[in-house]
Amino acid sequence: MGTVSRVLNGSPAVSAASKEKVAGAIRQLNYRPLASARDLRRDRTMRILALAKNLDSPIVSEAFRGVGDAAALSGYVSLIAPTAGEPEREQQLVDMLRNGSVDGLIMFSPTMADDEIEAVATQMSVVQLCEVADSEAAFGVSIDDRQASYDITQHLIKSGGRKLAMIGNRAARSGRLREEGFRWALAEAGLSPEHLLFADGDFNFHSGRSLTRELLGSDRLPDAVFCGSDTVAAGCVREITDAGLRVPGDIAVAGFDDSIQAEMCVPGLTTIRQPAYDMGRVAFDALFERMTEPGAHRRGRTYLPHELVVRDSTKG
Amino acid sequence: MGTVSRVLNGSPAVSAASKEKVAGAIRQLNYRPLASARDLRRDRTMRILALAKNLDSPIVSEAFRGVGDAAALSGYVSLIAPTAGEPEREQQLVDMLRNGSVDGLIMFSPTMADDEIEAVATQMSVVQLCEVADSEAAFGVSIDDRQASYDITQHLIKSGGRKLAMIGNRAARSGRLREEGFRWALAEAGLSPEHLLFADGDFNFHSGRSLTRELLGSDRLPDAVFCGSDTVAAGCVREITDAGLRVPGDIAVAGFDDSIQAEMCVPGLTTIRQPAYDMGRVAFDALFERMTEPGAHRRGRTYLPHELVVRDSTKG
DNA sequence: CTGTTAGCGCTTTCAA
DNA sequence: TTGAAAGCGCTAACAG
């Protein structure tokens, strides 16, 4: 029934009387147009999907809040799915883009190899968020992780750090860039890293503690530690404190993300603020452009500005 | 093309030769069957949706991990969407169930009134998780919040608490039950509450701090505080410590959830462990039953066992 | 302004 | 075992 459809979609070519009658019937029957039929006909869903390994990181939830708000402004629904770091599940979710279950995809922490991401991104609407493949063929939004790590490492050095350690995460793209920034700042200051420790699996409070335990057990004690996340830094601070040493008196500690944990930690953590919410919005806007302008395949990256937040954990 | 469809769906009524040929073509063309067409024809999507206000709570992400794992075992994809506490967005997402975008719905922290939930849940596949409406008409999975709060309050009393305060959250269904449990334990011990404070808006670290500041400013200082979440309890501990008082020496503090923050806090927080992951699994299993067995409309609740976890924050 | 109709891409029944 | 064809519920083009 054409008229019903017209009423549903707010077409102006309907008389007030018909509109009234149809609207009444719709209410009466509690009728909802079937999404699959409409999607099939229109060849779009007005839905997008955002993928991440886990949801328990403050950066993820904040970034996805930005995605969701921007999506809502453009009339899209944004759905979220965790991959649990399992390639099969990630594949299944990426297939939702391929088979038209959603119109666009935002990838936060992919397990896929860079060239697979590239392959999907060149054909369909994909935007990478925070964790961006090295290749410039696909498009991504992030901070300049290398520069940010350089900045905070330089701050540690300026605050008197001479024997620097880093607890990082080579499994993540951003983690590798952060290591580069760390090395860069050290090289520039004529220093060499005292320790470089990397989480094997999880990159969380517990691994922060156990890696710091290693650090403290070594014969070359650092005077400053740069951790790749606030959560890990919180574990690091806790382990140092429990060992009877003081932060920052004996060892200064810096984190990354400026999540609530940077504030909760005692002492408060010096860290890098990522504008996660805005990154999410920008990511959606880029995706929107890609979805709506047929030829638009943006490449490369957009960097959003980060900010060094100095708290007591490095006030030597 | 019937044969193609038969190959895609693994029908046995296909010759090996055809199967080979079709599979080859599918690979060659990188063909994926369009979801909307299949969903329309089959009248189901093999997708479910899980709603929550925010994603930044550890309980939410853990519970949804359970939902996702159980869903994957049954061949379902589980999607997640935050409502931001906005009724319109919640409506739009619930409409995804009504219009067949998904086959089932798990509601974590609804904004909707109980009777609206009831109305949807009696007609369609809905399961409530953690936050369950008072009405028994719909089905939900949770711990026994009232009993759990009774247990931890009783522990505070046994540990020497006489002047008890609570920082709660009347905006949430579980929050109201926790208040009941608190009052119940006090009444049984012949005590009356010293303070009952409630977060207006957010129920987080900052509100924990500011409500505790009120508490400390009053002329009747409590000797024990029960907080409705670990995050709030962490804020409470921090405020007490910053004021120069000791936890638990001067004031004992208890949290709720047994999230990572209970461990990160100094001193470690006594709290109630919710089996969030299992609750998620059980919720999906109930939803699955509802989706697959036509007449199955379960009512009432399933309670999963909670556990009192005692740490230093109450060791008087 | 409104009713009729074709057709989106898939699954499934029916014949062959 | 396979091809042909109907039809899921919707939208959009068309004719009236």
Side-chain angles (χ1 to χ4, degrees):
Chain A
M1 198 166 285
T3 305
V4 174
S5 179
R6 280 184 281 260
V7 171
L8 283 169
N9 297 294
S11 157
V14 185
S15 72
S18 303
K19 193 183 292 185
E20 186 81 9
K21 205 162 63 177
V22 171
I26 285 173
R27 251 194 312 280
Q28 192 113 37
L29 302 170
N30 195 26
Y31 165 82
R32 311 276 157 161
L34 195 67
S36 52
R38 184 183 359 206
D39 294 345
L40 172 61
R41 185 59 229 240
R42 291 202 171 152
D43 199 28
R44 72 198 159 121
T45 63
M46 299 305 279
R47 277 172 269 154
I48 66 156
L49 179 63
L51 296 187
K53 238 183 220 160
N54 319 297
L55 302 182
D56 54 15
S57 134
I59 293 289
V60 172
S61 59
E62 191 63 6
F64 283 178
R65 214 167 53 79
V67 171
D69 285 356
L73 285 178
S74 300
Y76 280 76
V77 171
S78 90
L79 274 0
I80 296 168
T83 64
E86 295 171 15
E88 320 82 63
R89 228 186 272 192
E90 184 169 297
Q91 269 301 339
Q92 185 181 34
L93 292 163
V94 172
D95 274 344
M96 289 184 63
L97 178 64
R98 292 206 175 95
N99 70 23
S101 289
V102 293
D103 298 340
L105 189 65
I106 290 184
M107 303 191 80
F108 189 96
S109 34
T111 303
M112 286 188 159
D114 285 7
D115 56 347
E116 286 184 86
I117 293 174
E118 226 177 277
V120 182
T122 47
Q123 296 188 281
M124 317 202 69
S125 301
V126 177
V127 166
Q128 302 169 86
L129 181 51
C130 288
E131 299 286 336
V132 183
D134 293 335
S135 136
E136 296 270 307
F139 178 71
V141 177
S142 68
I143 59 165
D144 185 337
D145 283 288
R146 191 165 166 273
Q147 180 70 51
S149 302
Y150 170 86
D151 293 349
I152 199 166
T153 306
Q154 199 180 51
H155 165 81
L156 285 171
I157 296 170
K158 276 192 192 148
S159 309
R162 286 299 169 269
K163 294 178 287 182
L164 277 78
M166 175 172 179
I167 299 180
N169 179 18
R170 278 186 179 148
R173 293 163 170 82
S174 63
R176 295 192 290 270
L177 291 170
R178 289 175 198 174
E179 184 183 349
E180 280 184 36
F182 175 73
R183 288 178 181 279
W184 171 27
L186 285 186
E188 201 176 84
L191 300 171
S192 56
E194 205 72 12
H195 297 275
L196 279 166
L197 298 174
F198 295 93
D200 290 333
D202 287 336
F203 192 58
N204 56 28
F205 182 71
H206 294 297
S207 55
R209 288 197 73 149
S210 60
L211 289 168
T212 303
R213 204 171 307 132
E214 275 185 47
L215 219 56
L216 299 178
S218 112
D219 48 354
R220 297 169 303 140
L221 223 57
D223 56 17
V225 185
F226 169 41
C227 299
S229 84
D230 289 337
T231 319
V232 166
C236 178
V237 165
R238 180 61 165 278
E239 195 67 28
I240 293 171
T241 308
D242 281 6
L245 298 171
R246 284 159 316 148
V247 176
D250 297 305
I251 305 179
V253 176
F256 207 101
D257 290 344
D258 196 28
S259 61
I260 186 72
Q261 286 162 6
E263 278 181 80
M264 290 176 66
C265 190
V266 184
L269 290 172
T270 291
T271 188
I272 293 286
R273 196 183 91 84
Q274 293 203 56
Y277 180 82
D278 287 331
M279 289 161 71
R281 291 202 326 191
V282 170
F284 176 81
D285 290 343
L287 188 64
F288 181 75
E289 188 188 312
R290 180 82 158 87
M291 293 187 298
T292 50
E293 290 167 30
H297 171 211
R298 243 204 258 182
R299 314 169 139 267
R301 289 198 185 198
T302 291
Y303 290 114
L304 264 62
H306 60 269
E307 190 187 337
L308 176 64
V309 178
V310 178
R311 294 202 182 85
D312 290 337
S313 70
T314 62
K315 282 185 179 149
Chain B
M1 196 165 286
T3 306
V4 173
S5 178
R6 280 183 279 258
V7 171
L8 283 169
N9 297 296
S11 157
V14 185
S15 71
S18 304
K19 193 183 290 184
E20 186 83 7
K21 208 162 62 176
V22 170
I26 285 173
R27 252 194 310 279
Q28 193 113 38
L29 302 170
N30 193 29
Y31 166 83
R32 312 276 157 159
L34 194 69
S36 52
R38 183 181 2 200
D39 293 346
L40 173 60
R41 187 57 228 243
R42 291 201 171 152
D43 200 28
R44 71 196 160 122
T45 63
M46 299 304 277
R47 277 172 271 156
I48 66 154
L49 179 63
L51 296 187
K53 243 186 216 158
N54 320 295
L55 303 182
D56 54 15
S57 136
I59 291 289
V60 171
S61 58
E62 191 63 7
F64 283 179
R65 214 168 54 77
V67 170
D69 285 356
L73 285 178
S74 301
Y76 280 77
V77 171
S78 89
L79 274 0
I80 296 167
T83 64
E86 295 171 15
E88 320 81 61
R89 230 187 269 192
E90 183 169 297
Q91 270 301 339
Q92 185 182 31
L93 292 163
V94 172
D95 274 344
M96 288 184 63
L97 177 66
R98 292 205 175 97
N99 70 23
S101 291
V102 294
D103 298 340
L105 189 66
I106 291 186
M107 302 191 82
F108 189 97
S109 34
T111 302
M112 284 186 161
D114 285 7
D115 55 347
E116 286 185 85
I117 294 175
E118 225 178 277
V120 182
T122 46
Q123 295 189 280
M124 317 202 69
S125 300
V126 177
V127 166
Q128 301 168 89
L129 180 51
C130 288
E131 299 287 336
V132 183
D134 294 334
S135 135
E136 296 269 306
F139 178 72
V141 178
S142 68
I143 60 166
D144 186 337
D145 284 287
R146 191 163 166 274
Q147 180 70 51
S149 301
Y150 171 87
D151 293 349
I152 199 165
T153 305
Q154 199 180 50
H155 165 81
L156 285 170
I157 296 169
K158 275 192 194 148
S159 310
R162 286 300 169 268
K163 293 178 289 181
L164 276 79
M166 175 172 179
I167 299 181
N169 180 19
R170 277 184 179 152
R173 293 163 171 81
S174 63
R176 294 192 290 271
L177 291 169
R178 289 175 199 174
E179 183 184 350
E180 280 185 36
F182 174 73
R183 288 178 181 280
W184 172 26
L186 285 186
E188 199 176 87
L191 300 170
S192 56
E194 206 71 13
H195 295 276
L196 278 166
L197 298 175
F198 296 92
D200 291 333
D202 288 335
F203 193 57
N204 57 27
F205 183 71
H206 293 297
S207 56
R209 289 197 72 150
S210 61
L211 289 168
T212 303
R213 202 170 311 134
E214 275 185 47
L215 219 57
L216 299 178
S218 110
D219 49 352
R220 297 170 304 141
L221 223 57
D223 55 18
V225 185
F226 168 41
C227 299
S229 84
D230 289 338
T231 318
V232 166
C236 177
V237 166
R238 180 63 164 277
E239 196 66 29
I240 293 171
T241 309
D242 281 6
L245 299 171
R246 284 160 314 150
V247 176
D250 296 304
I251 305 179
V253 176
F256 207 101
D257 290 345
D258 196 28
S259 62
I260 186 71
Q261 287 162 6
E263 278 182 80
M264 290 176 66
C265 190
V266 184
L269 290 172
T270 291
T271 188
I272 293 286
R273 196 183 92 82
Q274 294 203 53
Y277 180 82
D278 288 331
M279 288 160 72
R281 291 203 327 192
V282 170
F284 176 81
D285 290 342
L287 188 63
F288 181 75
E289 187 187 313
R290 181 81 159 85
M291 293 187 298
T292 50
E293 289 166 32
H297 171 212
R298 242 203 260 182
R299 314 169 140 267
R301 291 200 183 194
T302 291
Y303 290 114
L304 264 63
H306 61 269
E307 190 187 338
L308 176 65
V309 178
V310 178
R311 294 202 183 85
D312 291 336
S313 72
T314 61
K315 282 186 181 148

